[in-house]
């Protein structure tokens, strides 16, 4: 896989950060809420859980219930988002997330998440993490990952070319969205390695950040499994 040599170094002018699975471990809540949703709709949670990560809920619903009107998916998703925001039991930071966010505080960066503003705020607060000033949430886009809209909007808002951005993601939809935006992608966590990101780390503990004099960010990565 490209980018898996020890001590891999990447440079960028902006960092675009997914939330769930990348900064915040919310798998316990996601599995709880979506398992209950699956049962309510006569679906097997074992078939639902593998496809819920990374995308907006309505997009997942449209795949699982293709004959249901889109308006119903959106209404159902609004209810599910509120349910998820109210349930933060088991939400914890990904190891190294707080240190990483502190290291990039003065670097152009953005949160690019499929969560809405309320859910993003609830989960980042539950994990005790700083919320980046620039946030591209579900309300900011018309399309869900794997569409690149969110990442492209973040790059434009930061005034940085897509090729100079580095995405941090954990899901298939997120990695695909980053690549579609013309960006390099660092996969974070156990799911990400299967989706051929540019580089793959086990957690953010494996990332070291250095800001150079010209504003370029240099990242030293210890690849997963090493």
């Amino acid at each position: 896989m490209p980018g898996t040599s020890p001590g891999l170094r990447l440079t960028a002018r902006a960092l675009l950060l997914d939330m769930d699975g990348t900064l915040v471990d919310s798998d316990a809540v996601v599995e709880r809420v979506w398992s209950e949703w699956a049962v309510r709709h006569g679906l097997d949670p074992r078939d639902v859980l593998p496809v819920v990560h990374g995308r907006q809920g309505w997009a997942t619903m449209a795949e699982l219930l293709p004959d249901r009107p889109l308006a119903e998916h959106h209404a159902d998703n609004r209810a599910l988002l509120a349910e998820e925001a109210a349930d933060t039991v088991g939400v914890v930071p990904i190891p190294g997330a707080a240190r990483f966010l502190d290291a990039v505080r003065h670097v152009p960066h953005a949160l690019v998440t499929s969560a809405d503003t309320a859910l993003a705020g609830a989960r980042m607060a539950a994990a005790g993490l700083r919320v980046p000033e620039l946030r591209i949430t579900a309300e900011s886009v018309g399309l869900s990952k794997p569409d690149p809209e969110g990442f492209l909007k973040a790059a434009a808002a930061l005034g940085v070319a897509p090729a100079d951005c580095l995405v941090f993601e954990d899901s298939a939809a997120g990695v695909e969205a980053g690549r579609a935006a013309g960006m390099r992608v660092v996969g974070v966590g156990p799911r990400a390695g299967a989706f051929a990101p540019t580089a793959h780390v086990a957690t953010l503990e494996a990332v070291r950040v250095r800001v150079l004099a010209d504003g370029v960010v240099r990242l030293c990565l210890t690849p997963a499994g090493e």
Side-chain angles (χ1 to χ4, degrees):
M1 183 189 302
T4 55
S5 59
L8 173 68
R9 284 173 171 79
L10 296 174
T11 59
R13 291 194 174 274
L15 307 177
L16 308 183
L17 316 174
D18 174 53
M19 182 181 70
D20 291 304
T22 302
L23 297 172
V24 173
D25 181 351
S26 57
D27 280 3
V29 179
V30 171
E31 293 180 6
R32 203 158 48 236
V33 170
W34 277 93
S35 292
E36 293 171 359
W37 180 89
V39 171
R40 290 198 300 268
H41 291 84
L43 301 172
D44 188 333
R46 291 172 296 182
D47 296 328
V48 171
L49 295 180
V51 299
V52 302
H53 297 288
R55 296 182 295 179
Q56 292 191 38
W58 63 264
T60 297
M61 294 171 185
E63 178 175 327
L64 296 168
L65 300 173
D67 297 327
R68 194 170 71 163
L70 187 59
E72 290 189 28
H73 295 317
H74 280 285
D76 200 1
N77 184 51
R78 285 192 293 271
L80 206 66
L81 284 168
E83 188 177 342
E84 288 187 271
D87 183 354
T88 57
V89 177
V91 174
V92 295
I94 293 293
R99 179 196 56 79
F100 177 79
L101 284 170
D102 185 60
V104 304
R105 182 180 294 273
H106 301 297
V107 171
H109 68 288
L111 187 70
V112 184
T113 176
S114 293
D116 65 4
T117 299
L119 179 56
R123 286 191 175 159
M124 291 291 280
L129 297 176
R130 175 182 65 84
V131 181
E133 182 177 345
L134 178 60
R135 299 175 290 278
I136 304 297
T137 61
E139 300 96 332
S140 308
V141 296
L143 297 169
S144 171
K145 298 174 187 177
D147 189 275
E149 181 185 4
F151 288 124
L152 292 173
K153 279 197 168 185
L158 293 170
V160 178
D164 290 328
C165 294
L166 190 60
V167 168
F168 285 74
E169 268 284 0
D170 75 299
S171 69
V175 173
E176 184 179 342
R179 286 200 301 255
M183 302 172 182
R184 294 156 298 151
V185 182
V186 176
V188 179
R191 282 189 292 267
F195 311 131
T198 308
H200 177 217
V201 297
T203 72
L204 292 172
E205 289 179 314
V207 182
R208 292 292 179 269
V209 179
R210 181 184 176 193
V211 183
L212 305 182
D214 60 358
V216 170
V217 187
R218 177 177 291 167
L219 299 103
C220 181
L221 314 176
T222 303
E226 297 185 3

